[in-house]
Amino acid sequence: MPPDMPRGGPRAARWDRLFETDRDEYIDRPGSPARCRRVLRGLDRFQRLTLGYRTCARLTAAALAAAPGPVPDPFADPFAGPRVLELGAGCGRLSYALLRRLPTAHVTASDVNPRVVDALRAGPLGRHPRAACAVVDATAIDAPAGAYDVAVMAMSLHHLPPAGVAALLREGTRVARTLLLVDGWRHPLSLASVPLMFLTGGPAQAHDGLISLRKVYAAAAVRALAGQCGAPVRVDTRFAPPGYLVATATRSPDVPAAAVPSRPRIRK
């Protein structure tokens, strides 16, 4: 797959290609830890103010209800409730919102950064009986096929290059019956939210927010990458207000699935 595929998709318009940027956000620069912390705090405030966590939790619950295949009976087996994997959990607020919204679900909050996972374990998620925290690379998930009912990545897809998105689609649909991706909707009008990002996180958050909005993937790009990911993945995309791209990915039902192992009990 071409590494320079436009974020707007293979047939992106000229204005979209000019709109795109390859600049790194502070959150992706290992040499800027102080600015990274400020951005993360500002991003958390922004998501709480705009009800982003609530929206993503609602979308995840809907994806769980619509996931193909049987849903375990929590009354027959207390450890057989629905299992959700959050990829790129960050501060963990979405995972905690899912635990409140889904009273029988077991949620694994994961991130590729070990320091982020250590912070999650030291917080409320580390003490929750239905939660686990783990270091997970979303492009190479160390879990058996069918280990989760839903895997969700919210507001982080744009951090991955095209090859990483393809690997995420392949891996996410392998370990989960449904992979849910939620990110910003690609359109110049979305830049109107940058002043609010400045108010919630200052110049650092506005800097990263502006870059993020120019790096988010269009629906056409996600569908194209699904076709190049090396697995029979089907992707349905849609717009969700006020400005989200929602992509639901599943393995094609006409391809035989691998045997699904028994579900292990979540351990801290």
Side-chain angles (χ1 to χ4, degrees), residues 37-57:
R37 287 192 295 270
R38 285 199 295 272
V39 170
L40 290 174
R41 287 194 297 267
L43 180 61
D44 180 42
R45 295 189 198 101
F46 179 83
Q47 292 297 335
R48 283 184 287 156
L49 182 64
T50 60
L51 304 182
Y53 296 123
R54 181 182 299 181
T55 298
C56 292

Side-chain angles (χ1 to χ4, degrees), residues 132-143:
C133 305
V135 177
V136 174
D137 180 350
T139 65
I141 304 173
D142 185 14

